[in-house]
Amino acid sequence: MCGIVGYVGSKVPGSVLVEGLKRLEYRGYDSAGVAIFDNGGIKICRCEGKIADLEKRLVDEHFDGSIGIGHTRWATHGRPSETNAHPHYYEGIAVVHNGIIENYLELKTMMIEEGGVFSSETDSEVLSHLIARSIRKGLSFEDAVRESISMVRGSYAIAVLCEKDPTRIIAARNESPLILGVGENENYVASDIPAILSHTRKMLFLDDGEIAVLDRDAYRIQTLDGEAVEREPKHISWDPIMAEKGGYKHFMLKEIFEQPRAIIDTLRGRIVEDTGDVFLDGVTLDEETLKRINRIYVIACGTSYYAGLVGKFMIEELSHIPVEVDLASEFRYRDPLADENSLIVLISQSGETADTLAAMRQGREKGAKLLSICNVVESTLARDCDHVLYTHAGPEIGVASTKAFTCQMTALLLLAMYLGRTRGDLEADRAKELMQHVVQVPGYVEDVLERAEEIREIAEFYADAADFLYLGRGINYPIALEGALKLKEISYIHAEGYPAGEMKHGPIALIDEVMPVVTLVPRDSVYEKILSNIEEVKARKGQVIAVAEDDDREIAERADHIIKVPHADTILTPFILVIPLQLFAYYVADFKGTDVDQPRNLAKSVTVE
Ligand code: F6R
């Protein structure tokens, strides 16, 4: 999510670091910093804002060392500010970190009790403290890093400097990417290829549980247990633009493929797999208040609104609280019946959508409790609501929302389980069973992503169609809406989403031999009904593209094209069924040659009415 770059060699490290950080800046980071050796000690320079601001500050700084680490932050724990920016320094140790340390509060409390003084609100700061603590106990730099990371739970890619061992960088990874760049008498470490691509094309990719020691003229990789890892560098032939997109043609495609990781990050630290318990950091509604809530309003715009429609099914099923879902642009101008016993859940990727902010103010006037589901930390919506549940999708660059959507559904599912458990409507056994399925969702999504080529072929077949109809039922009706929205916004093809049962009340008139109908066919309680809807389309010579489960044999004789997906618990099917629709829209748009990442007339964040 954030960006890391580190350098050891004979160039001016400040320039190498700033240049590397600039290459990652297009993702819209909020703060940055570097740690560079000077006069035997580590000097830190950090600031809130753009890399250009950091660069200006560095003009007046002097460093005599030739080794340093840098970081651009995209806030997850703690608002964007200079003190929350990396590197974090403590007692001779400087650390940059990407990822989420799940047990940071526990570790922080332990070290405060031991006399440690913390200066930031981040989870990352525990790493500099832990490593310094191990060094105090007499461990070498390398062993101190090893001991410290064995104490943390969560994901990390780190690069560390140590004043007692001033010639090297130590780096380590677990579930967050980290790359070594090999040069002539110089070595690099980075979270992303573009950060170091102008210096070297010889790169090594660390695996989970590996530690790398980088000196100027050598590097070595070990496992956490100290076993040496032999790995040859790879030659990277990407051009700089391709590198920014991680080798994908568009950011949208990259972000579609990032979804398994993004869902894991949104679940991380919030669930207990063995019990089905859910903990929501940032939500401090006490049991008493939760039990008084008699209605939930879910408010959002666009794709976030469709996530809200899925959330209604989840919340009503698991917590039995009635839910109304409203478009923010409608809610703000009506006189809703919300009151102090209502919970208003406002969903927004950006947290800056004008209509959603206005709806929040309307809700506040009514005295309702306000909870936001946001992706951008410290956005206006996140700051101004009483409670916030962050999605950890990471920066979304493609204008068409993909990973933010699946993470919003993840957050809503967690909220639904949390409400259900706290109010007693969700039995412990069901919670436990459901959680065992929830943790499999990223794997299911991965599975669908592996079928991208088949989806691309189907998209090529239909790319010249002028109109599309998308049909779904129940919890997947909003997925039909989202599939149609994705297609129209990036390919400019007219598409409509409909609850399948409504087809005969109007849209059926549109069906003829040139009308493709994308139908969502999970094996749920309305499976037979949707098969009948497919028959109705076929009887009028429509072309059916069915998204159906792997072992569904009945669909074969009914549909013209089938996209197979794994089976899942009904409440989890939206996560799986939306992926082929995102890919389908992407490939159709790509065949048509549109500007996929920046479709005409659209803005990533709609900050005006
Ligand atoms: C569609 C899309 C938009 C946004 C909508 C709300 O792909 O991205 O429909 O979902 O503009 O934006 P946020 O979630 O930032 O409030």
Side-chain angles (χ1 to χ4, degrees), residues 386-407:
D386 314 320
H387 309 274
V388 56
L389 183 50
Y390 284 117
T391 48
H392 293 303
E396 196 175 59
I397 312 284
V399 164
S401 189
T402 52
K403 62 176 180 171
F405 176 72
T406 37
C407 289

Side-chain angles (χ1 to χ4, degrees), residues 113-408:
E113 279 166 8
E114 291 174 2
V117 180
F118 283 76
S119 52
S120 80
E121 302 155 327
T122 66
D123 54 333
S124 310
E125 198 186 358
V126 296
L127 290 164
S128 52
H129 280 250
L130 280 174
I131 299 167
R133 182 176 176 269
S134 299
I135 298 262
R136 271 201 311 273
K137 289 192 327 201
L139 296 191
S140 68
F141 180 21
E142 205 176 319
D143 287 341
V145 172
R146 189 171 283 120
E147 178 178 82
S148 303
I149 56 182
S150 70
M151 294 173 72
V152 303
R153 263 200 330 271
S155 61
Y156 54 80
I158 56 170
V160 192
L161 297 183
C162 170
E163 283 175 357
K164 286 208 169 134
D165 199 350
T167 59
R168 55 179 43 158
I169 300 174
I170 296 191
R173 88 156 253 177
N174 186 48
E175 296 182 25
S176 188
L178 204 59
I179 301 155
L180 307 188
V182 183
E184 287 293 322
N185 271 325
E186 58 179 11
N187 287 308
Y188 300 81
V189 59
S191 53
D192 304 83
I193 292 171
I196 54 175
L197 193 64
S198 59
H199 298 287
T200 178
R201 287 183 176 266
K202 269 168 81 179
M203 298 190 194
L204 281 126
F205 297 80
L206 288 194
D207 282 338
D208 286 347
E210 289 180 348
I211 297 188
V213 179
L214 285 93
D215 295 315
R216 190 178 172 145
D217 49 6
Y219 66 85
R220 62 193 156 79
I221 305 173
Q222 291 185 346
T223 63
L224 273 186
D225 308 326
E227 233 172 81
V229 175
E230 297 302 328
R231 187 169 301 142
E232 283 302 307
K234 287 202 162 74
H235 179 81
I236 303 297
S237 55
W238 295 353
D239 64 44
I241 301 289
M242 202 172 163
E244 278 184 3
K245 294 173 185 153
Y248 291 98
K249 190 168 174 190
H250 294 98
F251 284 112
M252 182 182 173
L253 190 59
K254 174 171 180 270
E255 287 159 6
I256 290 174
F257 275 84
E258 280 171 359
Q259 289 177 108
R261 162 78 26 234
I263 296 170
I264 291 174
D265 283 345
T266 303
L267 293 172
R268 191 182 293 287
R270 292 172 169 163
I271 58 169
V272 183
E273 194 181 332
D274 299 341
T275 60
D277 286 333
V278 172
F279 301 96
L280 299 183
D281 46 317
V283 179
T284 50
L285 287 160
D286 57 62
E287 204 175 324
E288 211 33 24
T289 314
L290 280 180
K291 288 195 167 143
R292 274 204 310 274
I293 287 169
N294 55 20
R295 183 169 297 271
I296 294 179
Y297 292 84
V298 178
I299 317 288
C301 301
T303 287
S304 301
Y305 167 73
Y306 296 149
L309 289 176
V310 175
K312 172 185 166 77
F313 284 86
M314 294 169 167
I315 297 171
E316 290 190 342
E317 180 179 328
L318 300 176
S319 79
H320 301 168
I321 308 172
V323 179
E324 261 186 50
V325 192
D326 229 327
L327 288 161
S329 51
E330 290 296 317
F331 186 85
R332 65 180 291 189
Y333 290 118
R334 69 184 179 88
D335 190 16
L337 296 175
D339 60 22
E340 62 281 6
N341 291 327
S342 311
L343 173 67
I344 300 190
V345 179
L346 298 125
I347 310 173
S348 175
Q349 187 286 128
S350 61
E352 303 294 347
T353 302
D355 283 322
T356 311
L357 293 177
M360 171 191 70
R361 291 190 278 272
Q362 160 88 307
R364 176 148 336 267
E365 272 169 32
K366 298 276 174 188
K369 314 278 172 292
L370 303 176
L371 185 155
S372 64
I373 293 180
C374 273
N375 195 40
V376 178
V377 170
E378 286 292 302
S379 52
T380 309
L381 187 67
R383 274 201 318 267
D384 291 357
C385 283
D386 314 320
H387 309 274
V388 56
L389 183 50
Y390 284 117
T391 48
H392 293 303
E396 196 175 59
I397 312 284
V399 164
S401 189
T402 52
K403 62 176 180 171
F405 176 72
T406 37
C407 289
Q408 287 165 347

Side-chain angles (χ1 to χ4, degrees), residues 256-257 259-261 263 440-455 547-551 563-568 575-577 579-580 583:
I256 290 174
F257 275 84
Q259 289 177 108
R261 162 78 26 234
I263 296 170
Q440 290 182 39
V441 167
Y444 293 146
V445 172
E446 194 82 65
D447 191 333
V448 181
L449 290 170
E450 278 164 20
R451 308 174 193 201
E453 185 49 34
E454 289 161 43
I455 298 168
V547 184
E549 292 179 1
D550 278 329
D551 61 352
I563 301 172
K564 287 287 183 85
V565 296
H567 169 78
F575 293 94
I576 297 162
L577 295 179
I579 309 295
L583 285 168

